[in-house]
Amino acid sequence: MAGVGARPLRAMGRQALLLLALCATGAQGLYFHIGETEKRCFIEEIPDETMVIGNYRTQMWDKQKEVFLPSTPGLGMHVEVKDPDGKVVLSRQYGSEGRFTFTSHTPGDHQICLHSNSTRMALFAGGKLRVHLDIQVGEHANNYPEIAAKDKLTELQLRARQLLDQVEQIQKEQDYQRYREERFRLTSESTNQRVLWWSIAQTVILILTGIWQMRHLKSFFEAKKLV
């Protein structure tokens, strides 16, 4: 009976993963303002062995028109990515508009930093720059039209490929959640152990202090009686 019931459970698990894959989203689009040589960093939680693609474009503030206009090609933008251990994964100079790609090798919080190292911005934009940033993680970083054209896939085959990639990404995210839970459990156990030893140390100190006080008071009363 246990062997017969295991198959429906596996089928239900796969169906649940497919439903989650249909609802999953991994792209983030935003814009922010930075000053001359100012660095702006973002924290992105990334599972292990996951590809990340970032697309950005910059706009400079026009004082006369009071609007943001496309930046000049000479504007430089530096992108730096660090893994959870603080190791530099990517450090490269790009133009006013570009695309950066990296693959995570350690699960956890990755730091993505951007800053302009151009002094021309202070002359033409008053030190004000708008950066549009779009970060795509996992299967959302894949260019499926390009994959379909390269591998000559039909629409159904492409959809199946996309679903399989999404299921794989969800499994990576589940593994990452288990990794986080394990780290939290180890941290909690370590904290509880330290609290326990600290409580024992406090108890021992209190006992020793009580013994010392009793001996001191005893000698004090004995000295009083002798007088």
Side-chain angles (χ1 to χ4, degrees), residues 17-155:
L17 284 176
L18 287 174
L19 288 174
L20 287 172
L22 289 173
C23 299
T25 57
Q28 298 181 13
L30 56 90
Y31 73 85
F32 55 92
H33 298 139
I34 58 174
E36 181 186 354
T37 67
E38 179 185 356
K39 179 183 288 187
R40 184 64 60 89
C41 296
F42 302 90
I43 301 298
E44 186 74 23
E45 287 187 345
I46 305 174
D48 190 17
E49 298 299 329
T50 302
M51 185 173 67
V52 179
I53 293 179
N55 295 281
Y56 74 89
R57 61 184 178 90
T58 59
Q59 292 178 308
M60 301 179 72
W61 176 254
D62 191 309
K63 292 182 179 179
Q64 297 179 351
K65 298 181 180 179
E66 295 186 350
V67 292
F68 283 97
L69 299 177
S71 300
T72 57
L75 181 67
M77 184 66 66
H78 188 269
V79 179
E80 183 180 72
V81 180
K82 293 183 180 180
D83 65 6
D85 298 327
K87 297 180 180 178
V88 177
V89 178
L90 174 68
S91 180
R92 186 176 175 183
Q93 183 73 22
Y94 296 89
S96 59
E97 182 176 351
R99 171 179 175 177
F100 58 90
T101 305
F102 68 93
T103 301
S104 63
H105 300 291
T106 304
D109 294 337
H110 286 66
Q111 187 182 62
I112 303 174
C113 298
L114 296 91
H115 69 90
S116 172
N117 61 353
S118 176
T119 57
R120 295 177 58 186
M121 187 175 63
L123 299 176
F124 295 96
K128 195 173 184 180
L129 184 71
R130 173 178 288 180
V131 182
H132 297 263
L133 179 63
D134 179 42
I135 299 176
Q136 297 177 336
V137 181
E139 84 283 354
H140 299 277
N142 295 328
N143 190 342
Y144 287 103
E146 182 179 345
I147 294 175
K150 182 179 179 181
D151 298 339
K152 297 180 180 180
L153 301 177
T154 64
E155 184 178 354

Side-chain angles (χ1 to χ4, degrees), residues 190-208:
S190 176
T191 303
N192 293 334
Q193 188 175 10
R194 291 179 181 178
V195 171
L196 176 62
W197 283 111
W198 177 245
S199 300
I200 293 175
Q202 282 183 322
T203 304
V204 171
I205 292 173
L206 288 174
I207 292 174
L208 294 176

Side-chain angles (χ1 to χ4, degrees), residues 17-18 20-21 24 47-51 138-139 142 144 160-176 178:
L17 284 176
L18 287 174
L20 287 172
D48 190 17
E49 298 299 329
T50 302
M51 185 173 67
E139 84 283 354
N142 295 328
Y144 287 103
R161 168 74 177 272
Q162 188 175 3
L163 287 174
L164 289 175
D165 290 342
Q166 290 177 348
V167 169
E168 182 181 0
Q169 181 63 28
I170 290 175
Q171 290 175 341
K172 289 181 180 179
E173 292 177 356
Q174 289 177 341
D175 293 338
Y176 175 58
R178 284 191 287 268

